[in-house]
Amino acid sequence: MTRPRFPARDVTYAVVVPTLGGPALGVCLHALAEATGPGPVRVVLVDDRPEAARTPLTAAVPPSLRERTVVVPGGARGPAAARNLGWRAAGDVPWIVFLEDDVVPGPTWGDDLTLDLAAATGRTAGSTARIDVPLPADRRPTDWERDTAGLAGARWITADTAYRRTALVATGGFDERFGQAFREDADLALRMLDAGWTLTGGRRTTTHPVREAGRWSSVRLQAGNADDVLMTRLHGRHWWRRAETPRGRLPLHLAVTGAGVTALGCALLGRHRAATACAALWLAGTTEFALARITPGPGTRDEVLTMTVTSALVPPAATWHWLRGWLVHRRVRPRTPFQSAEPPPAPRPAVREAQRS
């Protein structure tokens, strides 16, 4: 990375990248190294793979970043815990920039980040990038591609977010009860706002490519409903309005699942008319959901088949994880404004991998 071509107030930052060691990590780091503008004083890679599955991440690090790169073992405890390990291992730098390992910083990313951070006021806790999700130009996007494209409008997404280190210390960082990459970003943003900080959007642009996804990805994503319950317990029932997050289809999923379960129960009890009525409601709800996903898509045989099958599975999966969330988080107490954060745990020692030239 080079110095900016225009004057800007000096800013110092470190980059934290939680990773599972996939091939996209190298693309991300090479784009970071090649972007114009001041580079990070340190790059912290948090290796969140199970220990037995680890292979050295050396090959993913470009030569220009190797002297500044530190690898920290994450313990496979999820992205929230990994980010906490990363920013605490980054040292006493004013700003921590969190990148996901599959994003691609833009060609002028360093220059633009410098301007974003230089424009921050003393009460600005964080600055988010503009996220670009490229979609195919020759056909309509699939359900998974449309879901990923929603990240471009996500308010507090941590795909590329810079946080002031003092704000992270004051709020305790990410809540590690969020075990997957879902809602931990919104939770931190709301806590920052409650503590009197402000958050702003930056001018830098980062690309978030659409990752490969299996047929059952939409069913697996329903685990996030348990995290929505945790958000409700922490921030109240209307948290999604404050976080500027879409409400989603959970009420409809609960209704469709309830109709299906009732139909089965009535059939077992010999109440056939009631069973037929409830089954009709279940079928109508499932059909509406499938059509809502199929109609804007490419209409290929594989996409239609996947949407038809998963549209029957998503509502019960969402209901199951929602109920599980209420059970797991039943003892969680609501947060109060200006609630002091618990002292952060002592950081693990950073482990520097041997960087081969």
Side-chain angles (χ1 to χ4, degrees):
M1 301 182 79
T2 61
R3 302 303 300 178
R5 298 180 300 275
F6 40 80
R9 183 163 46 140
D10 183 46
V11 293
T12 304
Y13 68 96
V15 170
V16 172
V17 185
T19 182
L20 296 177
L25 175 63
V27 178
C28 173
L29 294 178
H30 278 80
L32 175 66
E34 294 168 5
T36 62
V41 297
R42 184 169 292 105
V43 176
V44 182
L45 303 180
V46 185
D47 189 347
D48 209 32
R49 296 171 294 178
E51 188 169 355
R54 288 185 194 150
T55 54
L57 298 177
T58 304
V61 183
S64 61
L65 293 179
R66 288 179 183 174
E67 290 299 319
R68 290 173 279 170
T69 298
V70 173
V71 179
V72 178
R77 294 187 295 126
R83 292 191 187 103
N84 283 341
L85 286 169
W87 70 260
R88 289 167 185 154
D92 189 16
V93 293
W95 290 93
I96 307 292
V97 182
F98 296 101
L99 295 178
E100 293 182 0
D101 67 351
D102 58 349
V103 302
V104 183
T108 60
W109 187 85
D111 285 331
D112 296 336
L113 174 68
T114 298
L115 293 177
D116 291 342
L117 302 186
T121 68
R123 296 306 300 170
T124 300
S127 168
T128 58
R130 300 172 182 174
I131 302 299
D132 175 55
V133 180
L135 295 176
D138 58 341
R139 59 168 174 79
R140 290 183 292 181
T142 65
D143 179 72
W144 174 250
E145 290 167 342
R146 295 193 305 274
D147 184 72
T148 304
L151 298 176
R155 192 70 176 89
W156 312 119
I157 182 173
T158 47
D160 180 344
T161 298
Y163 271 114
R164 198 182 293 274
R165 192 178 194 279
T166 53
L168 291 169
V169 172
T171 55
F174 292 90
D175 190 329
E176 297 181 11
R177 287 173 293 189
F178 293 93
Q180 57 182 345
F182 194 69
R183 300 307 188 209
E184 82 290 352
D185 47 4
D187 168 73
L188 179 58
L190 292 183
R191 287 190 284 120
M192 292 283 187
L193 296 173
D194 286 341
W197 297 91
T198 61
L199 301 168
T200 185
R203 58 175 288 166
R204 65 192 184 279
T205 299
T206 294
T207 299
H208 193 305
V210 179
R211 295 178 297 212
E212 294 291 331
R215 187 181 299 275
W216 313 110
S217 58
S218 60
V219 179
R220 290 192 295 270
L221 286 177
Q222 301 313 307
N225 285 283
D227 295 316
D228 281 350
V229 172
L230 179 55
M231 288 291 290
T232 300
R233 297 289 295 175
L234 293 171
H235 301 285
R237 59 184 298 187
H238 299 303
W239 65 267
W240 51 277
R241 293 178 182 172
R242 294 183 57 218
E244 302 178 44
T245 300
R247 186 67 181 94
R249 294 181 62 104
L250 179 63
L252 292 176
H253 291 334
L254 296 177
V256 169
T257 303
V261 171
T262 303
L264 290 174
C266 289
L268 292 174
L269 294 173
R271 299 179 180 179
H272 300 297
R273 293 181 63 181
T276 301
C278 290
L281 289 174
W282 173 85
L283 181 60
T286 302
T287 302
E288 182 275 331
F289 182 39
L291 290 176
R293 302 169 73 199
I294 292 172
T295 301
T300 62
R301 179 179 178 181
D302 186 67
E303 177 74 359
V304 171
L305 176 62
T306 298
M307 294 301 99
T308 300
V309 174
T310 58
S311 292
L313 298 177
V314 163
T319 301
W320 162 254
H321 287 294
W322 180 75
L323 293 171
R324 179 178 62 84
W326 281 108
L327 177 64
V328 171
H329 303 305
R330 66 189 183 280
R331 300 185 187 277
V332 174
R333 296 182 179 181
R335 293 192 187 277
T336 57
F338 307 107
Q339 182 180 23
S340 60
E342 296 181 0
R348 298 183 183 182
V351 178
R352 184 184 297 272
E353 285 190 352
Q355 301 296 325
R356 305 191 192 114
S357 58

